[in-house]
Coordinates of all heavy atoms in Angstrom, one line a residue:
M331 N 122.4 90.5 99.0 CA 122.4 89.0 99.2 C 123.4 88.7 100.4 O 124.6 89.0 100.2 CB 122.9 88.3 97.9 CG 121.7 88.0 97.0 SD 120.7 86.7 97.6 CE 120.3 85.8 96.0
P332 N 123.0 88.1 101.4 CA 123.9 87.8 102.5 C 124.8 86.6 102.1 O 124.3 85.6 101.6 CB 123.0 87.4 103.6 CG 121.6 87.6 103.2 CD 121.6 87.7 101.7
W333 N 126.1 86.8 102.2 CA 127.1 85.7 101.9 C 127.6 85.1 103.1 O 128.0 85.8 104.1 CB 128.2 86.4 101.1 CG 129.5 85.6 101.0 CD1 130.6 85.7 101.7 CD2 129.7 84.5 100.0 NE1 131.5 84.7 101.3 CE2 131.0 84.0 100.2 CE3 128.9 83.9 99.0 CZ2 131.5 83.0 99.5 CZ3 129.5 82.9 98.2 CH2 130.8 82.4 98.5
C334 N 127.5 83.7 103.2 CA 128.1 83.0 104.3 C 129.5 82.6 104.0 O 129.7 81.8 103.1 CB 127.2 81.9 104.7 SG 127.8 81.0 106.2
E335 N 130.5 83.1 104.7 CA 131.9 82.7 104.5 C 132.1 81.2 104.8 O 132.7 80.5 104.0 CB 132.7 83.5 105.5 CG 134.2 83.7 105.1 CD 134.4 84.7 103.9 OE1 133.9 85.8 104.1 OE2 134.9 84.3 102.9
E336 N 131.5 80.7 105.8 CA 131.8 79.3 106.2 C 131.1 78.3 105.2 O 131.7 77.3 104.9 CB 131.2 79.0 107.6 CG 132.2 79.5 108.7 CD 131.8 80.9 109.2 OE1 131.2 81.7 108.5 OE2 132.1 81.2 110.4
C337 N 129.9 78.6 104.8 CA 129.2 77.7 103.8 C 129.6 78.0 102.4 O 129.4 77.2 101.5 CB 127.7 77.9 103.9 SG 127.0 77.6 105.5
A338 N 130.3 79.1 102.2 CA 130.8 79.6 100.9 C 129.6 79.6 99.9 O 129.7 79.1 98.8 CB 131.9 78.7 100.3
R339 N 128.5 80.2 100.3 CA 127.4 80.4 99.4 C 126.5 81.6 99.9 O 126.6 82.0 101.0 CB 126.5 79.1 99.4 CG 126.0 78.7 100.7 CD 124.9 77.7 100.5 NE 123.7 78.3 100.0 CZ 122.5 77.7 99.8 NH1 122.4 76.4 100.2 NH2 121.5 78.3 99.3
F340 N 125.7 82.0 98.9 CA 124.8 83.2 99.2 C 123.5 82.6 99.7 O 123.1 81.5 99.4 CB 124.5 83.9 97.9 CG 125.7 84.8 97.4 CD1 126.4 84.4 96.3 CD2 126.0 86.0 98.1 CE1 127.5 85.2 95.9 CE2 127.0 86.8 97.6 CZ 127.8 86.4 96.5
Y341 N 122.9 83.4 100.6 CA 121.6 83.0 101.1 C 120.6 84.1 100.8 O 120.9 85.3 100.8 CB 121.7 82.8 102.6 CG 122.3 81.5 103.0 CD1 123.6 81.4 103.5 CD2 121.6 80.3 102.9 CE1 124.2 80.2 103.8 CE2 122.1 79.1 103.2 CZ 123.4 79.0 103.7 OH 124.0 77.9 104.0
N342 N 119.4 83.6 100.6 CA 118.3 84.5 100.5 C 118.0 85.1 101.9 O 118.0 84.3 102.8 CB 117.1 83.7 99.9 CG 115.9 84.6 99.6 OD1 115.4 85.3 100.5 ND2 115.4 84.6 98.4
P343 N 117.8 86.4 102.0 CA 117.5 86.9 103.3 C 116.4 86.2 104.1 O 116.4 86.1 105.3 CB 117.1 88.4 103.0 CG 117.8 88.7 101.8 CD 117.8 87.4 101.0
N344 N 115.4 85.6 103.3 CA 114.3 84.9 103.9 C 114.7 83.6 104.5 O 114.0 83.0 105.4 CB 113.2 84.7 102.9 CG 112.6 86.0 102.4 OD1 112.5 87.0 103.2 ND2 112.2 86.1 101.2
T345 N 115.8 83.0 104.0 CA 116.2 81.7 104.6 C 117.1 81.9 105.9 O 117.3 80.9 106.6 CB 117.0 80.9 103.5 OG1 118.2 81.7 103.2 CG2 116.2 80.6 102.3
L346 N 117.5 83.1 106.1 CA 118.2 83.3 107.4 C 117.3 83.4 108.5 O 116.1 83.7 108.4 CB 119.0 84.7 107.2 CG 120.0 84.8 106.1 CD1 120.6 86.2 106.1 CD2 121.1 83.8 106.2
S347 N 117.8 83.1 109.7 CA 117.0 83.1 110.9 C 116.8 84.6 111.3 O 117.4 85.5 110.7 CB 117.7 82.3 112.0 OG 118.7 83.1 112.5
G348 N 115.9 84.7 112.3 CA 115.6 86.1 112.7 C 116.8 86.9 113.2 O 116.8 88.1 113.1
S349 N 117.8 86.1 113.7 CA 119.0 86.8 114.3 C 120.1 87.0 113.2 O 121.2 87.4 113.5 CB 119.5 86.1 115.5 OG 119.7 84.7 115.1
G350 N 119.7 86.6 111.9 CA 120.7 86.8 110.8 C 121.7 85.7 110.7 O 122.8 85.9 110.1
D351 N 121.3 84.4 111.1 CA 122.2 83.3 111.0 C 121.7 82.4 109.8 O 120.5 82.4 109.5 CB 122.2 82.4 112.3 CG 122.7 83.2 113.5 OD1 123.4 84.2 113.2 OD2 122.5 82.7 114.6
C352 N 122.7 81.8 109.1 CA 122.3 80.9 108.0 C 121.8 79.6 108.6 O 121.9 79.3 109.8 CB 123.6 80.6 107.2 SG 124.7 79.3 107.8
P353 N 121.2 78.7 107.8 CA 120.6 77.5 108.3 C 121.6 76.6 109.0 O 121.2 75.7 109.8 CB 120.0 76.8 107.1 CG 119.8 77.9 106.1 CD 120.9 78.9 106.4
E354 N 122.9 76.7 108.7 CA 124.0 76.0 109.4 C 124.3 76.6 110.7 O 125.1 76.0 111.5 CB 125.2 75.9 108.5 CG 125.0 75.3 107.1 CD 124.4 73.9 107.2 OE1 124.9 73.1 108.0 OE2 123.5 73.6 106.4
G355 N 123.8 77.7 111.0 CA 124.1 78.3 112.3 C 125.2 79.4 112.3 O 125.5 79.9 113.4
H356 N 125.7 79.7 111.2 CA 126.8 80.8 111.1 C 126.1 82.1 111.1 O 125.1 82.3 110.5 CB 127.7 80.6 109.9 CG 128.1 79.2 109.6 ND1 127.8 78.5 108.5 CD2 128.9 78.4 110.4 CE1 128.4 77.3 108.6 NE2 129.0 77.2 109.7
H357 N 126.8 83.1 111.8 CA 126.2 84.4 111.7 C 126.6 85.0 110.4 O 127.8 85.1 110.0 CB 126.8 85.3 112.9 CG 126.1 86.6 112.9 ND1 124.8 86.8 113.3 CD2 126.6 87.8 112.7 CE1 124.5 88.0 113.2 NE2 125.6 88.7 112.9
V358 N 125.6 85.5 109.6 CA 125.8 86.0 108.3 C 125.5 87.4 108.2 O 126.3 88.2 107.7 CB 124.9 85.2 107.3 CG1 125.1 85.7 105.9 CG2 125.2 83.7 107.3
A359 N 124.4 87.8 108.7 CA 124.0 89.2 108.5 C 123.4 89.7 109.8 O 123.1 89.0 110.7 CB 122.9 89.3 107.4
D360 N 123.3 91.0 109.9 CA 122.6 91.7 111.0 C 121.2 91.3 111.0 O 120.6 91.0 110.0 CB 122.8 93.2 111.0 CG 124.2 93.6 111.3 OD1 124.9 92.9 112.1 OD2 124.7 94.6 110.7
P361 N 120.6 91.2 112.2 CA 119.1 90.9 112.3 C 118.3 91.7 111.3 O 118.6 92.9 111.2 CB 118.8 91.1 113.7 CG 120.1 90.9 114.5 CD 121.1 91.4 113.5
V362 N 117.4 91.1 110.7 CA 116.5 91.8 109.7 C 115.6 92.8 110.5 O 114.9 92.4 111.4 CB 115.7 90.8 108.9 CG1 114.8 91.6 107.9 CG2 116.6 89.9 108.2
H363 N 115.7 94.0 110.2 CA 114.9 95.0 110.9 C 113.6 95.2 110.2 O 113.5 95.5 109.0 CB 115.6 96.4 110.9 CG 116.9 96.3 111.7 ND1 116.9 96.1 113.1 CD2 118.2 96.3 111.4 CE1 118.2 96.0 113.5 NE2 118.9 96.2 112.5
D364 N 112.5 94.9 110.9 CA 111.2 95.2 110.4 C 110.8 96.6 110.7 O 110.7 97.0 111.8 CB 110.2 94.2 111.0 CG 108.8 94.3 110.4 OD1 108.6 95.2 109.6 OD2 108.0 93.4 110.7
P365 N 110.7 97.4 109.7 CA 110.4 98.9 109.9 C 109.1 99.1 110.7 O 108.9 100.1 111.3 CB 110.4 99.5 108.5 CG 110.2 98.4 107.6 CD 110.8 97.2 108.2
D366 N 108.2 98.1 110.6 CA 106.9 98.2 111.2 C 106.9 97.7 112.7 O 106.0 97.9 113.4 CB 105.8 97.5 110.4 CG 105.6 98.2 109.1 OD1 105.7 99.4 109.0 OD2 105.3 97.4 108.1
A367 N 107.9 96.9 113.0 CA 108.0 96.3 114.3 C 108.1 97.3 115.4 O 107.4 97.3 116.4 CB 109.1 95.3 114.4
A368 N 109.1 98.3 115.2 CA 109.3 99.3 116.3 C 109.5 100.6 115.6 O 110.6 101.0 115.3 CB 110.5 98.9 117.1
P369 N 108.4 101.3 115.2 CA 108.5 102.5 114.5 C 109.2 103.6 115.4 O 108.9 103.7 116.5 CB 107.1 102.9 114.1 CG 106.2 102.1 115.0 CD 107.0 100.9 115.4
K370 N 110.2 104.3 114.8 CA 110.9 105.3 115.5 C 110.1 106.6 115.4 O 109.9 107.1 114.3 CB 112.3 105.5 114.9 CG 113.2 106.4 115.7 CD 114.1 105.6 116.6 CE 115.0 106.6 117.4 NZ 114.4 107.3 118.4
V371 N 109.6 107.0 116.5 CA 108.8 108.2 116.6 C 109.6 109.4 117.0 O 110.2 109.4 118.0 CB 107.6 108.1 117.5 CG1 106.7 109.3 117.5 CG2 106.7 106.9 117.1
P372 N 109.7 110.4 116.1 CA 110.6 111.6 116.5 C 110.0 112.3 117.7 O 108.8 112.3 117.9 CB 110.6 112.4 115.2 CG 109.4 112.0 114.5 CD 109.1 110.6 114.8
W373 N 110.9 113.0 118.5 CA 110.4 113.6 119.7 C 109.4 114.7 119.4 O 108.5 115.0 120.2 CB 111.6 114.2 120.5 CG 112.3 115.3 119.8 CD1 113.4 115.1 118.9 CD2 112.0 116.7 119.8 NE1 113.7 116.4 118.4 CE2 113.0 117.3 119.0 CE3 111.1 117.4 120.5 CZ2 112.9 118.7 118.8 CZ3 111.1 118.8 120.3 CH2 112.0 119.4 119.5
H374 N 109.6 115.4 118.3 CA 108.6 116.5 118.0 C 107.2 116.0 117.7 O 106.3 116.8 117.8 CB 109.2 117.4 116.9 CG 109.5 116.8 115.7 ND1 110.8 116.4 115.3 CD2 108.8 116.3 114.6 CE1 110.9 115.8 114.2 NE2 109.7 115.7 113.7
F375 N 107.1 114.7 117.4 CA 105.8 114.2 117.2 C 105.0 114.2 118.5 O 103.8 114.6 118.6 CB 105.9 112.7 116.7 CG 104.5 112.0 116.7 CD1 103.6 112.2 115.7 CD2 104.2 111.1 117.7 CE1 102.4 111.6 115.7 CE2 103.0 110.5 117.7 CZ 102.1 110.7 116.7
W376 N 105.7 113.8 119.6 CA 105.0 113.8 120.9 C 104.8 115.3 121.4 O 103.7 115.5 122.0 CB 105.9 113.1 121.9 CG 106.1 111.7 121.6 CD1 107.3 111.1 121.1 CD2 105.1 110.6 121.5 NE1 107.0 109.8 120.9 CE2 105.7 109.5 121.1 CE3 103.8 110.6 121.9 CZ2 105.0 108.3 121.0 CZ3 103.1 109.4 121.8 CH2 103.7 108.3 121.3
L377 N 105.7 116.2 121.0 CA 105.4 117.6 121.4 C 104.2 118.1 120.7 O 103.3 118.7 121.3 CB 106.6 118.4 120.9 CG 106.7 119.8 121.4 CD1 107.2 119.8 122.9 CD2 107.7 120.7 120.6
L378 N 104.0 117.7 119.4 CA 102.9 118.1 118.6 C 101.6 117.5 119.2 O 100.6 118.1 119.3 CB 103.1 117.7 117.1 CG 102.5 118.6 116.1 CD1 103.3 119.9 116.0 CD2 102.5 117.9 114.7
L379 N 101.7 116.2 119.5 CA 100.6 115.5 120.0 C 100.1 116.1 121.4 O 98.9 116.3 121.6 CB 101.0 114.0 120.2 CG 99.8 113.0 120.5 CD1 99.0 112.7 119.2 CD2 100.3 111.7 121.1
G380 N 101.1 116.4 122.2 CA 100.8 117.0 123.5 C 100.1 118.3 123.3 O 99.1 118.7 124.0
A381 N 100.6 119.1 122.4 CA 100.0 120.4 122.1 C 98.6 120.3 121.6 O 97.7 121.0 122.0 CB 100.9 121.2 121.1
L382 N 98.4 119.3 120.7 CA 97.1 119.0 120.2 C 96.1 118.6 121.3 O 95.0 119.1 121.3 CB 97.2 117.9 119.1 CG 95.9 117.7 118.3 CD1 95.7 118.8 117.3 CD2 96.0 116.3 117.6
V383 N 96.6 117.7 122.2 CA 95.7 117.3 123.3 C 95.3 118.5 124.2 O 94.2 118.6 124.6 CB 96.4 116.1 124.1 CG1 95.7 115.9 125.4 CG2 96.4 114.9 123.2
L384 N 96.4 119.3 124.5 CA 96.1 120.5 125.3 C 95.1 121.4 124.6 O 94.2 121.9 125.3 CB 97.4 121.2 125.5 CG 98.3 120.7 126.7 CD1 99.6 121.5 126.7 CD2 97.6 121.0 128.0
Y385 N 95.3 121.6 123.3 CA 94.4 122.5 122.6 C 93.0 122.0 122.6 O 92.0 122.7 122.9 CB 95.0 122.7 121.2 CG 94.0 123.5 120.2 CD1 93.9 124.8 120.4 CD2 93.3 122.8 119.3 CE1 93.1 125.6 119.6 CE2 92.5 123.5 118.4 CZ 92.4 124.9 118.6 OH 91.5 125.6 117.8
L386 N 92.9 120.7 122.3 CA 91.5 120.1 122.2 C 90.9 120.1 123.6 O 89.7 120.3 123.7 CB 91.6 118.7 121.6 CG 91.9 118.6 120.1 CD1 92.0 117.1 119.7 CD2 90.8 119.3 119.3
G387 N 91.7 119.8 124.6 CA 91.2 119.8 126.0 C 90.7 121.2 126.3 O 89.6 121.4 126.9
W388 N 91.4 122.2 125.9 CA 91.1 123.6 126.2 C 89.8 124.0 125.5 O 88.9 124.6 126.0 CB 92.2 124.6 125.8 CG 91.8 126.0 125.9 CD1 91.7 126.9 124.9 CD2 91.4 126.7 127.0 NE1 91.3 128.1 125.3 CE2 91.1 128.1 126.6 CE3 91.2 126.4 128.4 CZ2 90.6 129.0 127.5 CZ3 90.8 127.4 129.3 CH2 90.5 128.7 128.9
R389 N 89.7 123.5 124.2 CA 88.5 123.8 123.4 C 87.3 123.1 124.0 O 86.1 123.7 124.0 CB 88.7 123.4 121.9 CG 89.6 124.2 121.1 CD 89.4 125.7 121.2 NE 88.1 126.1 120.8 CZ 87.8 126.5 119.6 NH1 88.7 126.6 118.7 NH2 86.5 126.8 119.2
L390 N 87.5 121.9 124.6 CA 86.4 121.2 125.2 C 85.9 122.0 126.4 O 84.7 122.2 126.6 CB 86.9 119.8 125.6 CG 85.8 118.8 126.1 CD1 85.0 118.4 124.9 CD2 86.4 117.6 126.8
I391 N 86.8 122.5 127.2 CA 86.5 123.2 128.4 C 85.7 124.5 128.0 O 84.7 124.9 128.6 CB 87.7 123.6 129.3 CG1 88.3 122.3 129.9 CG2 87.4 124.6 130.3 CD1 89.7 122.4 130.4
E392 N 86.3 125.2 127.0 CA 85.6 126.4 126.4 C 84.2 126.1 126.0 O 83.3 126.8 126.3 CB 86.4 126.9 125.3 CG 87.1 128.2 125.5 CD 87.7 128.8 124.2 OE1 87.6 128.1 123.1 OE2 88.3 129.8 124.3
G393 N 84.1 125.0 125.3 CA 82.7 124.6 124.8 C 81.8 124.3 125.9 O 80.6 124.7 125.8
I394 N 82.2 123.6 126.9 CA 81.3 123.3 128.1 C 81.0 124.6 128.8 O 79.8 124.8 129.1 CB 82.1 122.3 129.0 CG1 82.2 120.9 128.3 CG2 81.3 122.2 130.3 CD1 83.1 120.0 129.0
A395 N 82.0 125.5 128.9 CA 81.7 126.8 129.6 C 80.7 127.6 128.8 O 79.8 128.2 129.3 CB 83.0 127.6 129.7
W396 N 80.8 127.5 127.4 CA 79.9 128.2 126.5 C 78.5 127.6 126.7 O 77.5 128.4 126.8 CB 80.4 128.1 125.1 CG 79.5 128.7 124.1 CD1 79.5 130.0 123.7 CD2 78.5 128.1 123.3 NE1 78.6 130.3 122.7 CE2 77.9 129.1 122.4 CE3 78.0 126.8 123.2 CZ2 76.9 128.8 121.5 CZ3 77.0 126.5 122.2 CH2 76.5 127.5 121.4
L397 N 78.4 126.3 126.8 CA 77.1 125.6 126.9 C 76.5 126.0 128.3 O 75.3 126.4 128.3 CB 77.3 124.1 126.9 CG 77.1 123.5 125.5 CD1 77.5 122.0 125.7 CD2 75.7 123.6 125.0
I398 N 77.3 126.0 129.4 CA 76.8 126.4 130.7 C 76.3 127.8 130.7 O 75.2 128.1 131.3 CB 77.9 126.1 131.8 CG1 78.1 124.6 131.9 CG2 77.5 126.8 133.1 CD1 79.4 124.2 132.7
A399 N 77.0 128.7 130.0 CA 76.6 130.1 130.0 C 75.3 130.3 129.3 O 74.6 131.3 129.5 CB 77.8 130.9 129.3
R400 N 75.0 129.4 128.3 CA 73.8 129.6 127.6 C 72.5 129.0 128.3 O 71.4 129.4 127.9 CB 73.9 128.9 126.2 CG 74.6 129.7 125.1 CD 74.7 128.9 123.9 NE 73.4 128.6 123.3 CZ 72.8 129.4 122.3 NH1 73.4 130.5 121.9 NH2 71.7 129.0 121.8
I401 N 72.8 128.1 129.2 CA 71.7 127.5 129.9 C 71.0 128.5 130.9 O 71.8 129.2 131.6 CB 72.1 126.2 130.6 CG1 72.5 125.1 129.5 CG2 71.0 125.6 131.5 CD1 73.2 123.9 130.1
Ligands
ZN1193 ZN1 126.7 79.2 107.0

């Protein structure tokens, strides 16, 4: 529960503004972080994604070469 020193009362996190201020304008809490707003993607995810794209691209080239060889 965010406590506002100046208003001497607790606030529901939903009544605070997006920047964490109480309705009176005092800064009460840190801005509420929406976990879905900016998902933190670990670097190894991109490494894995890059490897997957490379692999699928290679398999596609292989598949096309196989098709050409059969024609
Ligand atoms: Zn306040």
